[in-house]
Structures are given as C-alpha cells and as structure tokens.
Amino acid sequence: MVEKHRRTVVKAASYRIFATMTVFLVSYLYTGNFASAASIGLTAAVAKTMLYYLWERLWSNISWGLQTVE
C-alpha cells in the first residue's frame, strides 16, 4: 500500500500545527516575549514541515515492516 502525497501533506500540516503551538509556548516561557516566541515558532514550523514531508516520502519507499493484508 502506498500513501498518496495529499495524505502525507495533511498529516504533516496537522502535526505541525500541534507541534508549533508547543514550540511557541516553550519559547514564550523562556523569552517572555510574544514576538520572539512567534518568530521562533514560525521558523521551526516551516523547517520542520519540509523535513517531515521528506522523511515520510523516504519511508514510503522502504518496505521493511509492512505487510500485505489479504
């Protein structure tokens, strides 16, 4: 079974929203500054979304650990 690109994008986006909120909160707790926390959160979100997408696509080409259901 092969995952379609659209599914990978939706998974990456929904996870990134959750993770970005966490990064923003931690950044805000450390800096006490909304603008700095938002900048850190946004930068991390963009970079990590691209990396996650690439990681998922790489793993979609590896058959190790997959089973065909009959």
Side-chain angles (χ1 to χ4, degrees), residues 5-67:
H5 290 276
R6 185 174 183 181
R7 178 181 163 88
T8 305
V9 170
V10 170
K11 282 173 52 182
S14 61
Y15 176 78
R16 186 57 17 222
I17 290 167
F18 171 73
T20 298
M21 290 187 305
T22 303
V23 170
F24 172 80
L25 179 61
V26 170
S27 298
Y28 184 74
L29 292 173
Y30 272 94
T31 66
N33 183 293
F34 182 85
S36 293
S39 179
I40 292 167
L42 181 60
T43 302
V46 170
K48 290 179 180 182
T49 298
M50 290 186 291
L51 290 171
Y52 180 80
Y53 177 82
L54 293 172
W55 190 255
E56 285 286 325
R57 296 313 301 167
L58 172 69
W59 272 95
S60 71
N61 292 308
I62 299 172
S63 61
W64 175 79
L66 295 176
Q67 284 183 313

